[in-house]
Amino acid sequence: MGQLKPQKNVYAVIDLGSNSFHMLIAKSIAGGLQTIGRVKRKVRLAAGLNEDNLLSTEAMQRGWECLALFAERLQDIPKNNITIVATATLRLATNADEFKIKAEQILAHKINVISGELEARTIYKGVAHTSSCSGRQLVIDIGGASTEVVIGKGFDALHYKSLNMGCVTYLERYFKDCKLNDANFNAAIKAARVVIDDIAPSYKVAGWEIASGASGTVQAIQEIMVAQSLDDTLSLDKLNEIKKQSIAYNTIAELDLPGLSEERRLVFVSGLAILIALFEALEIDKMGLAGGALREGVLYSMIPEFHNHDIRKRTVDGLMSRYHVDQKQANRVAELSSHLAAQVSEQWLLLDNNGLPLLKAIAQLHEIGLLIEYKQYQKHTAYILENTEMPGFSQSEHKIIAAAANAHRSDLQKNVFAHLGCHVQLTQYLTRLIRIAVILSMRRQDDVLPKLTLTVNNEALTLIFENDWLKAHPLMASELQQECKQQAKAGWKFIVK
């Protein structure tokens, strides 16, 4: 059998973290990145550090065994497309070279032990490339042995620090007896506060508009909140409530919160204690989950054509290309729905609050399900969107887009968006506008509509055509009358004149 050729458009990033080792493999396709492989192993390297920062042979052995698995997958990827980074534990370990020399032999590749500051900046880059925030953003990543705290804007990290605390090291230090009680929690929170209080004043002065968590701890807390039918935004009250629920279990071995995965359980409480301290010291009001972190930051740094692009545009364009969307029709619906939104945005203030970019995305993507079949294409669209990564859109924005795409035609039900919690009203507004725009664009031609006006009185929409245009267009009139009935079924009032 001949030698296999490496695939030029495939990239790999390996992150030797203090808790887990991760390998991310991605393919550059249709103007975006498609993840084609992820391998993660709990190595808990930081648990092998003693008081003198000497790494135990057992911990090193766990790491080498994991890397031997990763090495098998790397042989098909061009050497220039592979980056391997190591973080806090190998920064701290006095015998890190011993681990590194053997690890590099196993992987046949150089390992970069990156500084805390570079790690913080790269984490921010990963967040910036996978989520969209127009203002200043606070990003927090609680790792196994360090916690990165960054304020950035656009693609640039402005303030960045790597703090010497992590969920593995704090587990060993403050929950060594594996007991869950106020004393252990409060000792961990107090210790974390001492570390954070050094940077808190300058960070609070710098300020931010949105806070994002880029670590497994934040994801685990979100999963617990969703399992308890709460919305997925973190707040200090919610964190303290989860702390209270955790203490009820007495020991980490018994900890069985609904939504908490088995692999996260061991380091969950130490991560939670650090996060509570961060919320208190930095006076964080609320926090969402970031779409990417260190691995994504390294990956995007490797591919020059992805530097500093409009991420949302790249995501939407990539989906339109992949699913052969009729771009003229998509843009026609986008322009018309934006025109309608502009006429009601004074009363429907939510449309200004990030609503218009979401409306445009829904309009451009609403027909991707046509590639499967016409009859239920809105359901196919929603399924594809729900199950596709959408860099540039937050988790809640992603859900809004999928829900509105699913409801953009055919039958409407009352409380159709009840599952979206605090985003129900915005999703209703976007859906009502997109449904009208899709009907008005049914001829799939430019310049076929007269001047039309959309007004809103409380929640009642009125669409007015000039010069009795509808009388000469009975099919359009009929479709709009049916739409009035559909919106009425959902409890919304829509009048056509």
Side-chain angles (χ1 to χ4, degrees):
M1 202 170 137
Q3 180 91 27
L4 291 172
K5 278 189 179 172
Q7 297 163 286
K8 283 184 183 170
N9 64 336
V10 176
Y11 297 81
V13 175
I14 293 177
D15 159 19
L16 311 184
S18 302
N19 189 33
S20 305
F21 284 8
H22 296 257
M23 177 164 63
L24 168 65
I25 300 165
K27 193 174 188 177
S28 171
I29 188 168
L33 280 172
Q34 186 180 65
T35 300
I36 57 171
R38 274 187 196 273
V39 186
K40 174 186 175 185
R41 291 290 182 273
K42 275 271 185 289
V43 175
R44 295 188 59 244
L45 202 63
L49 283 174
N50 69 11
E51 284 106 42
D52 301 321
N53 282 337
L54 206 64
L55 195 54
S56 71
T57 309
E58 292 81 9
M60 289 200 274
Q61 194 59 45
R62 290 197 301 271
W64 293 328
E65 284 169 9
C66 173
L67 296 181
L69 302 177
F70 288 4
E72 184 183 330
R73 186 70 181 82
L74 288 184
Q75 58 196 351
D76 307 322
I77 297 167
K79 277 225 177 291
N80 290 343
N81 291 10
I82 298 168
T83 301
I84 302 166
V85 294
T87 55
T89 298
L90 292 176
R91 284 199 292 269
L92 292 167
T94 51
N95 56 342
D97 282 349
E98 185 188 338
F99 176 82
K100 201 172 153 221
I101 289 163
K102 186 163 179 183
E104 289 182 341
Q105 286 171 354
I106 293 166
L107 294 167
H109 208 283
K110 188 178 178 312
I111 293 170
N112 305 307
V113 179
I114 59 174
S115 70
E117 279 69 26
L118 178 56
E119 182 179 359
R121 293 203 310 272
T122 310
I123 286 166
Y124 179 77
K125 186 174 280 190
V127 173
H129 271 282
T130 51
S131 52
S132 188
C133 171
S134 51
R136 288 159 83 88
Q137 184 167 199
L138 172 72
V139 172
I140 284 170
D141 189 336
I142 301 167
S146 69
T147 293
E148 282 64 45
V149 185
V150 191
I151 294 175
K153 185 171 183 184
F155 292 93
D156 301 317
L158 307 173
H159 303 266
Y160 42 90
K161 274 277 184 279
S162 182
L163 305 175
N164 190 11
M165 57 183 188
C167 57
V168 176
T169 50
Y170 269 44
L171 171 72
E172 301 290 318
R173 211 171 293 161
Y174 300 103
F175 296 91
K176 201 161 181 63
D177 58 5
C178 288
K179 292 275 193 304
L180 293 178
N181 52 42
D182 269 324
N184 284 359
F185 255 110
N186 293 342
I189 293 167
K190 190 177 173 186
R193 280 295 300 263
V194 170
V195 178
I196 304 156
D197 283 345
D198 277 350
I199 67 159
S202 61
Y203 272 66
K204 286 191 283 190
V205 167
W208 58 86
E209 276 98 321
I210 187 169
S212 299
S215 58
T217 297
V218 174
Q219 186 172 350
I221 290 165
Q222 272 202 345
E223 285 164 3
I224 290 164
M225 293 190 315
V226 168
Q228 297 182 10
S229 301
L230 298 168
D231 72 70
D232 57 9
T233 305
L234 278 66
S235 67
L236 186 56
D237 286 348
K238 286 178 184 169
L239 299 185
N240 281 320
E241 175 57 31
I242 291 170
K243 171 191 160 189
K244 193 172 129 191
Q245 291 173 17
S246 300
I247 289 169
Y249 286 95
N250 298 318
T251 69
I252 292 175
E254 294 167 34
L255 185 64
D256 190 24
L257 290 167
L260 179 63
S261 68
E262 175 57 34
E263 67 156 26
R264 196 77 215 164
R265 181 167 53 88
L266 188 59
V267 293
F268 175 70
V269 290
S270 47
L272 175 60
I274 291 170
L275 193 58
I276 288 171
L278 285 159
F279 263 74
E280 288 178 354
L282 297 173
E283 295 173 17
I284 299 168
D285 180 30
K286 56 185 182 177
M287 177 182 283
L289 179 66
L294 180 64
R295 290 174 293 287
E296 289 77 12
V298 173
L299 184 62
Y300 281 101
S301 299
M302 289 162 72
I303 310 171
E305 62 264 33
F306 288 152
H307 291 185
N308 300 6
H309 269 216
D310 180 332
I311 308 157
R312 288 180 166 186
K313 186 175 186 307
R314 192 172 69 213
T315 294
V316 171
D317 288 351
L319 283 165
M320 288 169 75
S321 165
R322 197 183 312 169
Y323 292 98
H324 304 285
V325 167
D326 178 342
Q327 298 205 12
K328 282 188 176 172
Q329 177 67 359
N331 291 328
R332 192 176 290 122
V333 175
E335 281 171 30
L336 187 50
S337 54
S338 298
H339 173 64
L340 296 173
Q343 296 187 54
V344 296
S345 59
E346 268 187 43
Q347 290 91 333
W348 283 1
L349 295 172
L350 280 173
L351 291 174
D352 286 338
N353 185 16
N354 205 23
L356 290 177
L358 296 186
L359 185 63
K360 185 179 179 185
I362 297 158
Q364 290 181 308
L365 299 174
H366 76 281
E367 286 193 339
I368 60 177
L370 278 176
L371 195 65
I372 298 170
E373 60 95 45
Y374 175 77
K375 192 177 177 186
Q376 298 282 342
Y377 83 78
Q378 74 279 6
K379 290 185 178 175
H380 305 314
T381 297
Y383 178 82
I384 291 166
L385 291 175
E386 280 163 8
N387 293 283
T388 301
E389 285 182 350
M390 290 185 69
F393 297 94
S394 68
Q395 277 194 330
S396 53
E397 289 169 343
H398 190 164
K399 285 176 185 167
I400 290 167
I401 291 168
N406 192 27
H408 88 264
R409 69 189 280 262
S410 298
D411 287 1
L412 278 170
Q413 303 301 326
K414 213 168 177 61
N415 301 323
V416 62
F417 303 124
H419 63 290
L420 292 172
C422 58
H423 305 296
V424 167
Q425 193 169 43
L426 175 59
T427 314
Q428 281 179 9
Y429 290 168
L430 298 175
T431 301
R432 295 178 72 182
L433 292 169
I434 203 82
R435 285 178 71 94
I436 296 165
V438 166
I439 294 168
L440 293 173
S441 308
M442 61 192 255
R443 282 181 60 187
R444 308 179 81 86
Q445 296 286 336
D446 292 330
D447 304 323
V448 293
L449 290 172
K451 186 170 179 233
L452 44 86
T453 310
L454 187 67
T455 61
V456 61
N457 183 10
N458 293 324
E459 298 294 291
L461 286 174
T462 304
L463 183 64
I464 303 158
F465 290 83
E466 67 172 15
N467 303 333
D468 287 337
W469 184 87
L470 276 183
K471 284 184 180 170
H473 297 83
L475 177 59
M476 179 72 78
S478 167
E479 291 289 312
L480 287 168
Q481 283 311 318
Q482 279 187 301
E483 180 59 17
C484 294
K485 288 174 187 167
Q486 283 297 341
Q487 295 211 18
K489 265 171 64 182
W492 311 329
K493 195 167 185 185
F494 177 44
I495 302 156
V496 179
K497 290 183 179 175

